[in-house]
Amino acid sequence: HTTHPYSQAQHRWEKYQSVMASTGRVLPLELIDKAIGSKVWILMKGQTEIVGTLQGFDDYVNLVLADAIEYTTVDGEIIRKDLNAEILLNGNHVAVLVPGGNGPEDSMAVAGS
């Protein structure tokens, strides 16, 4: 007897919500879930940062973003590239996720330079 993957994911989510409710803590996946439909700033491993509207995610923090903008730094200069597409980011390459973040153009590092 095999269980449908959706059923397993639903069971994990219900268990996760139960733990969250009993401890009163904000767990990482809950924070990401609350950010669905809003702008997020993603710092990837390496020199790439991406800002977009979070459409969805999975247990591995693979992310689906709409209206994505990619920022890279070359010789200290920030280069902006509008991706004009819905994109899937591999969760293995995500270092930091900032809900509501506007990207490097608004960061303190840029403001201080």
Side-chain angles (χ1 to χ4, degrees), residues 56-111:
F57 69 98
D58 64 13
D59 289 347
Y60 302 101
V61 193
N62 294 314
L63 306 170
V64 177
L65 299 177
D67 306 319
I69 302 167
E70 178 183 72
Y71 297 90
T72 52
T73 304
V74 177
D75 297 328
E77 182 181 342
I78 296 173
I79 303 197
R80 175 188 167 132
K81 178 181 177 184
D82 291 326
L83 300 177
N84 297 320
E86 189 170 69
I87 64 168
L88 171 65
L89 294 179
N90 183 321
N92 287 329
H93 301 288
V94 173
V96 178
L97 185 148
V98 182
N102 291 315
E105 295 173 338
D106 291 341
S107 76
M108 291 177 60
V110 172

Side-chain angles (χ1 to χ4, degrees), residues 6 9 12-13 16-17 27-38 40 42 53-66 86-91 94 97 99:
Y6 179 79
R12 284 194 309 269
W13 178 245
Y16 174 80
Q17 287 180 317
L27 299 173
L29 292 178
E30 177 193 7
L31 180 67
I32 298 170
D33 187 56
K34 287 181 178 184
I36 289 179
S38 64
V40 292
I42 311 294
T53 303
L54 182 63
Q55 300 296 304
F57 69 98
D58 64 13
D59 289 347
Y60 302 101
V61 193
N62 294 314
L63 306 170
V64 177
L65 299 177
E86 189 170 69
I87 64 168
L88 171 65
L89 294 179
N90 183 321
V94 173
L97 185 148

Side-chain angles (χ1 to χ4, degrees), residues 2 9 19 23 45 55 57 99:
T2 59
V19 168
T23 62
K45 294 178 183 176
Q55 300 296 304
F57 69 98

